[in-house]
């Protein structure tokens, strides 16, 4: 390079930089590494490594000793305990006597799943796609059987179905109400910006505070609704001892917090729909509900499914609300899987705790990946 | 006034570039003389911008070498090449004022503030934007932004100016004005300039030499006059000139071009079954049907102002003739066209090559 | 065409039509208006009421809480500052300068921590009331974690938007295998973790050098981006026990640094996801121009790219800050006393023998949610301007 430097005469000052590699130079040359390395390193050490480390916990019996933790490898004992051992009622629910409705429901779901697999096979799915579909279908059938054996046969269910209840019922409810509110706020109404700000606030309040606030507000004897409970003759009732009431009240608190999320995103999506499309429909004489159904909705479906996916991912992690409002009770009726794992950890059963956490991870990944592959991608492809 | 610098030569040596399976440039070899204003002309997708970006260092060539001032810069980062570039979108930093925009290249090079201010003022006054130094780009008109971009490019006295369609975002009137200024500025500074455009008028008016690219292949590299008067092939002949050169399909037999109902004798020898005769509209004249070399009927008559364009249909071809502004004729009327004999070009229809 | 379509005179319309039809395009019919406003007002009450109840409870005394519901201050019950006195004036260390003292202490202890390998300085013990301690802890941890997360996350997002990475698939496999081997060696064979980690790291670089070249398959930027964002799917409970053990072995339990790191990692996916979108939508000419002008990569990032994404950066920062401020699960596992944050302090009010001290708890919640509501109002502006929308559109 020295030779090139001699023959090369840059213009008068201030012109080209002298060509030599200083440390700043070296830093710049490797900047691509420095840009991404911190993030990758942090994720590897504090997310990926612990995830792997968790496997060891889940496959071991862990005991504290003077020198630290002692691991004893027990294969899949911790997992098997959740499915068939002494933890079964806690995790899956009581599945001893299967009723006729439950059996019919489970069989119907099995047939539907098989039919779906057969159809995708006929439509020429790749072997990767087929494997994914088999996993999704297996999970679906498993949950269906569980539902048939517990709820539909009059048995209590476990933390797995409670978590799914929060996810599916909660997301559906929140999506419907959130979208409806967004639709209302996109109409020509006065005080739009006030409602917008107000409706957004619950999302930002700590879930812990939400839990305590609802525990207080829903208190039968000291809460603000006490006259109402009196009026309907429920002054001696305690919703925290009624499994279904407790579940629905947890969903109520969760919805209070999360509807704003759906609302704000759907409102922003509604406002990006081109104005001339709506105006054209107005000139054609469509009512605002018709306009929503025919013009606006098809354009915001991709955002809608994405927002459901995000909400679902977060919903699987639910822990603060049931912990505070009901401590998972009555019994285990409102216990989510995260809470289940937390209680096991507190009881020093780290192996089972890690196993339940892992099962939650598997459940989350399968459900979210299925939703992403079969719903979100399909909608996004339709747009592009 | 800024003193002129002696320009540096720029060489492309067998530059090839492909994106995946798509070959964008094929064996491009060019020598740009010091202080020359070279225009790379071509339609979109011809590889002209890629060539410029390879020279700037924003793309790496698949093979071949680039030399600036005799130094091989093929694998050297853009900042060591001592080139500056004006982008089609101007690429002004929206969060910096005009003065900060112009001074940015100097700031990066850690030029002292006082010195920098002098240089910025000088560059700004050269493009007549001294009164806009405190404004932000969004407060400027298109023409003013263009000037800021030019000032930023020249403030650090690069060895080579690169310009990527810098005038294409301006309206027609301003474009003409800026063209003249650009040409004046370049000749004052004497900096080697490589200018990419798809506009043949820009190319003809600005360039010392024009390089015409098509599908990544260099078609012709010559002065504007030579390109216009002596095109190397059919593509160049048709690309340059407005309205474009007329073409007549026919055959070349023993120094005469034969087409349906006409024969023109030519100073070329040889015979080609499928040949094309090219003649520019201003080298044709409208005459009585019996007198012309080619006969046809009038398809359209357009009065432009100082002349009239007469479109004549002959066989399968349409010919445009530049006639006087007094010309009048009805559509469908039979007419003859006479051509200037030594201003005719013959091309091989199969290859597009010029037959001399 | 029926003639009803052409009635221009308002008087000709029936009552039903006047009620259900909008008077003009872009307006609402009377009935629709009534329905819409009643729904909105109902929802507004539903949103406000729990917050209102928390705020008034913070100004009640034990009697006003326990003797059934009282709704309106000064009418139903006499508000007082009992709950606040418990937190502030009855605590000897709570004066106006306490927070100032606490930040001096943070600075002193940070220096002590940094210099600890060289000289041993005893860290100062906090002399501050619990509320201030928790508040300043939350503030320090929240801001530091947000700064770390946004810096690192936007750097990675920018690089993924502009630079091509091609990590070899084989190296990823090697990394996974070595990590598993290291974990097994540490937990079952009892090898010290620092030893096995060092060996695994050395082996990884050796093997990556030796075998990396032979692997054809490589990952793309899209894969890395997906990998980073998908970390959000990971339930915190999966990593929390191992992280607890890791922190225990390096002394990060109940420290600010530990929480800062783990909060930063937890929010990295969100930052990368949102910022990547902003960076990708910037015109690339600006960066190319700066590159020709002689800017370094980092210079371009700092001088050109970051200022241009300022609104997006602000919105992302605010969102991350709020998430960090509210975080509970990590805090409850990883902090016990010194690094206790606000949520822990709230939950602590549940542990009394006399049941929940609602008024005291509500006072803490009020302190906690006031900054958040201010931030939420600012953030809402960004969202309604569509600043965060690009990412959701997918």
């Amino acid at each position: 390079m020295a030779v090139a430097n001699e023959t090369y005469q840059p213009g008068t000052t201030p012109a080209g930089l002298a060509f030599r590699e200083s440390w700043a130079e070296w830093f710049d040359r490797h900047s691509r590494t420095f840009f991404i390395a911190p993030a990758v390193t942090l994720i590897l050490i504090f997310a990926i490594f612990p995830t792997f480390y968790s496997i060891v916990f889940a496959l071991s019996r862990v005991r504290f000793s003077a020198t630290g933790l002692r691991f004893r490898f027990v294969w899949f004992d911790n997992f098997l305990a959740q499915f068939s051992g002494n933890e079964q009622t806690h995790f899956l629910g009581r599945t001893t006597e299967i009723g006729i409705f439950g059996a019919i429901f489970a069989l119907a779901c099995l047939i539907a799943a098989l039919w779906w697999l057969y159809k995708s096979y006929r439509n020429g799915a790749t072997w990767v796609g087929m494997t994914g579909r088999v996993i999704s279908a297996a999970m679906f059938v498993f949950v269906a059987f569980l539902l048939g054996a517990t709820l539909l046969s009059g048995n209590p269910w476990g933390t797995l179905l409670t978590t799914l209840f929060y996810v599916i019922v909660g997301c559906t409810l929140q999506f419907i109400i959130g979208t409806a509110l967004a639709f209302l706020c996109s109409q020509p109404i006065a005080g739009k910006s006030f409602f917008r700000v107000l409706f957004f606030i619950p999302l930002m309040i700590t879930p812990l505070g939400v839990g305590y606030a609802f525990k207080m507000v829903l208190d039968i004897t000291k809460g603000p609704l006490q006259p109402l409970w009196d009026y309907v003759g429920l002054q001696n009732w305690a919703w925290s001892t009624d499994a279904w009431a407790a579940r629905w009240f947890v969903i109520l608190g969760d919805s209070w917090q999360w509807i704003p999320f759906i609302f704000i995103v759907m409102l922003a999506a509604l406002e990006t729909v081109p104005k001339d499309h709506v105006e054209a429909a107005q000139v054609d004489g469509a009512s605002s509900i018709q306009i929503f159904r025919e013009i606006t909705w098809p354009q915001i479906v991709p955002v809608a499914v994405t927002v459901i996916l995000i909400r679902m991912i977060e919903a699987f992690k639910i822990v603060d609300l049931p912990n505070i409002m009901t401590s998972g009770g009555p019994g285990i009726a409102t216990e989510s899987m995260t809470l289940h794992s937390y209680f096991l950890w507190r009881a020093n059963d780290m192996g089972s705790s890690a196993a339940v956490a892992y099962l939650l991870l598997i459940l989350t990944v399968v459900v979210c990946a299925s939703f992403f592959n079969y719903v979100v991608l399909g909608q996004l492809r339709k747009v592009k | 006034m800024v003193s002129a610098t002696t320009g540096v030569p720029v060489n492309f040596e067998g530059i090839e570039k492909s994106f995946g399976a798509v070959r964008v440039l094929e064996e491009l070899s060019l020598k740009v003389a010091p202080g020359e204003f070279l225009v790379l002309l071509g339609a979109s997708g011809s590889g002209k911008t890629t060539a410029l970006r390879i020279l700037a260092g924003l793309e790496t060539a698949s093979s071949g070498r680039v030399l600036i001032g005799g130094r091989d810069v093929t694998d050297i980062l853009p900042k060591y090449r001592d080139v500056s570039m004006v982008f089609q979108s101007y690429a002004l930093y929206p969060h910096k004022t005009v003065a900060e925009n112009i001074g940015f290249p100097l700031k990066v090079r850690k030029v002292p503030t006082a010195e920098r201010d002098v240089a910025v003022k000088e560059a700004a006054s050269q493009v007549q934007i001294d009164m806009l130094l405190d404004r932000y780009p969004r407060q400027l008109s298109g023409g003013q932004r263009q000037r800021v971009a030019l000032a930023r490019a020249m403030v650090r006295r690069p060895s080579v100016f690169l310009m990527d369609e810098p005038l294409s975002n301006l309206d027609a009137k301003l474009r003409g004005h800026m063209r003249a200024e650009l040409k004046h500025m370049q000749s004052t500074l004497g900096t080697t300039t490589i200018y990419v455009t798809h506009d043949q008028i820009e190319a003809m008016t600005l360039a010392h030499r024009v390089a015409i690219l098509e599908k990544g292949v260099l078609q012709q590299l010559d002065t504007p006059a030579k390109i216009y008067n002596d095109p190397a092939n059919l593509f160049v002949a048709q690309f340059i000139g407005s309205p474009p050169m007329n073409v007549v399909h026919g055959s070349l037999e023993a120094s005469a071009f034969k087409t349906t109902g006409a024969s023109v004798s030519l100073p070329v020898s040889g015979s080609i079954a499928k040949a094309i005769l090219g003649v520019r509209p201003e080298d044709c004249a409208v005459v009585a049907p019996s007198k012309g070399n080619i006969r046809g009927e009038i398809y359209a008559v357009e009065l432009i102002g100082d002349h009239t364009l007469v479109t004549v249909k002959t066989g399968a071809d349409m010919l445009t003739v530049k006639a006087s502004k007094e010309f009048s004729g009805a559509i469908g009327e039979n007419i003859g066209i006479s051509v200037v004999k030594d201003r005719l070009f013959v091309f091989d229809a199969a290859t597009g090559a010029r037959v001399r | 065409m029926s003639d009803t379509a052409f009635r221009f005179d308002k008087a000709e319309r029936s009552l039903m039509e006047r009620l259900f039809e909008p008077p003009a395009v872009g307006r609402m019919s009377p009935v629709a208006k009534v329905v819409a406003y009643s729904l909105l007002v109902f929802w507004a009450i539903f949103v406000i009421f729990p917050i209102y109840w928390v705020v008034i409870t913070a100004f009640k005394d034990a009697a006003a809480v326990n003797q059934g519901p009282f709704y309106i201050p000064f009418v139903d019950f006499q508000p007082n500052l009992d709950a606040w006195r418990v937190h502030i004036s009855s605590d000897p260390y709570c004066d106006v300068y306490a927070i100032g003292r606490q930040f001096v202490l943070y600075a002193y202890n940070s220096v002590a921590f940094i210099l600890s390998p060289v000289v041993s300085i005893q860290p100062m013990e906090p002399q501050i009331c619990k509320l201030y301690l928790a508040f300043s802890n939350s503030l320090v941890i929240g801001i530091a974690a947000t700064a770390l997360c946004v810096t690192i996350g936007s750097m990675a997002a920018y690089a993924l938007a502009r630079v091509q990475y091609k990590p070899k698939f084989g190296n990823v496999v090697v990394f996974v295998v070595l990590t598993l081997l290291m974990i097994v060696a540490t937990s079952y064979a009892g090898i010290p973790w620092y030893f096995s980690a060092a060996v695994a790291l050395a082996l990884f670089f050796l093997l990556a050098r030796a075998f990396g070249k032979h692997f054809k398959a490589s990952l793309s930027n899209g894969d890395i981006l997906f990998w980073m964002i998908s970390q959000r799917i990971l339930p915190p409970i999966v990593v929390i026990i191992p992280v607890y053990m890791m922190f225990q072995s390096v002394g990060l339990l109940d420290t600010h640094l530990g929480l800062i790191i783990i909060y930063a990692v937890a929010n990295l996916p969100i930052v990368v996801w949102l910022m990547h979108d902003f960076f990708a939508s910037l015109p690339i000419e600006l960066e190319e121009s700066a590159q020709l002008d002689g800017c370094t990569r980092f210079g371009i990032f700092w001088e050109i790219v970051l200022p241009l994404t300022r609104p997006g950066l602000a919105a992302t920062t605010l969102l991350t800050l709020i998430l960090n401020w509210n975080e509970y699960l990590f805090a409850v596992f990883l902090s016990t006393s010194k690094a206790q944050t606000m949520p822990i302090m709230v939950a602590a009010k549940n542990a009394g023998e006399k049941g929940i001290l609602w008024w005291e708890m509500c006072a803490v919640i009020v302190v906690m949610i006031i900054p958040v509501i201010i931030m939420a109002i600012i953030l809402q502006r960004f969202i309604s301007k569509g600043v965060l929308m690009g990412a959701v559109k997918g």
Side-chain angles (χ1 to χ4, degrees), chain A residues 32 54 60 190 204 224 314 317, chain C residues 37 71 165 188 232 326 372:
Chain A
R32 42 181 290 137
S54 224
S60 308
M204 294 300 152
E314 299 296 318
K317 302 175 187 168
Chain C
Y37 278 107
Y71 300 90
Y165 291 96
Y188 295 121
R232 192 72 199 169
N326 289 340
V372 173

Side-chain angles (χ1 to χ4, degrees), chain A residues 17 27-28 31-36 38-40 42-57 59-60 64 69 71-73 177 181 184-185 187-190 195-209 212-217 221-227 252 255-256 259 264-265 268-269 271-272 282 302-303 306-307 310 313-314 317 319-320 323-324 338 341-342 345 350 353-354 357-358 360-361 364-365 368 372 380 384, chain C residues 25-28 36-37 39-41 43-44 46-51 53-54 57 65-66 68-69 71 148 152 155-156 158-160 163-166 175-176 179-180 182-184 186-188 224 226-228 231-239 241-247 261-262 264-265 268 273 294-298 301 319 322 326 328-329 332-333 342-344 346-347 350 356 358 361-362 365 368-369 372-373 376-377 379-380 383-384 389 391-394:
Chain A
L17 296 167
F27 185 79
D28 189 34
S31 61
R32 42 181 290 137
T33 314
F34 292 120
F35 264 101
I36 203 162
V40 170
L42 273 190
I43 294 181
L44 285 179
I45 296 179
F46 294 103
I48 299 299
F49 178 78
T51 312
F52 288 157
Y53 200 4
S54 224
I55 301 176
V56 170
F57 279 87
L59 297 180
S60 308
F64 286 102
L69 291 177
F71 293 89
R72 192 162 59 81
F73 191 62
I177 299 177
L181 284 174
L184 279 180
C185 272
Q187 294 300 305
I189 52 161
F195 286 120
R196 263 176 115 115
V197 174
L198 184 69
F199 291 177
F200 177 61
I201 285 172
L203 182 62
M204 294 300 152
I205 289 177
T206 171
L208 192 82
Y212 283 118
F214 270 82
K215 190 173 174 141
M216 222 164 23
V217 168
T221 53
K222 297 177 221 162
L225 299 179
Q226 185 248 342
L252 183 74
S255 302
W256 186 82
I259 283 171
I264 207 83
V265 176
E271 284 176 350
T272 56
Q282 278 171 342
V303 179
T306 312
V307 91
I310 299 170
I313 290 173
E314 299 296 318
K317 302 175 187 168
V319 58
D320 295 355
N323 185 22
I324 287 153
T338 302
S341 176
Y342 173 64
W345 181 77
M350 284 195 239
S353 174
Y358 240 88
L360 173 63
L361 176 63
T364 313
V365 168
C368 293
F372 181 74
L380 288 180
K384 273 155 198 168
Chain C
V25 160
R27 308 247 316 258
M28 290 171 92
Y37 278 107
L39 285 174
L40 287 172
V41 168
W43 194 260
F46 178 63
V47 164
I48 291 174
F49 193 76
I51 302 174
W53 196 254
V54 166
T57 308
V65 172
N66 288 330
Y71 300 90
L148 180 68
I152 288 179
M155 273 166 61
Y158 173 68
L160 285 174
V163 186
Q164 289 302 315
Y165 291 96
K166 287 196 187 83
F175 184 86
V176 170
T179 311
L180 288 175
M182 176 211 157
I183 293 170
V184 168
T186 309
S187 33
Y188 295 121
I224 302 175
F226 182 79
W227 171 70
M228 282 192 175
Q231 295 307 313
R232 192 72 199 169
I233 295 182
L234 194 68
I237 193 77
V238 175
V239 297
I241 300 171
V243 165
Y244 182 90
M245 297 304 157
M246 286 161 69
F247 278 13
I261 292 174
I262 206 73
V265 175
L268 258 181
W273 182 38
C295 239
T296 59
R297 262 273 166 219
F298 199 81
F301 181 64
L319 185 70
I322 292 171
N326 289 340
Y328 173 65
L329 192 66
V332 86
F333 272 81
M342 290 292 281
I344 303 294
V346 174
N350 193 1
I356 304 175
W358 285 117
M361 176 187 276
C362 286
I365 296 179
M368 224 189 134
I369 63 178
V372 173
I373 289 182
I377 290 169
L379 182 61
Q380 199 276 339
I383 293 177
S384 61
M389 269 308 291
V392 181
K393 277 187 190 162

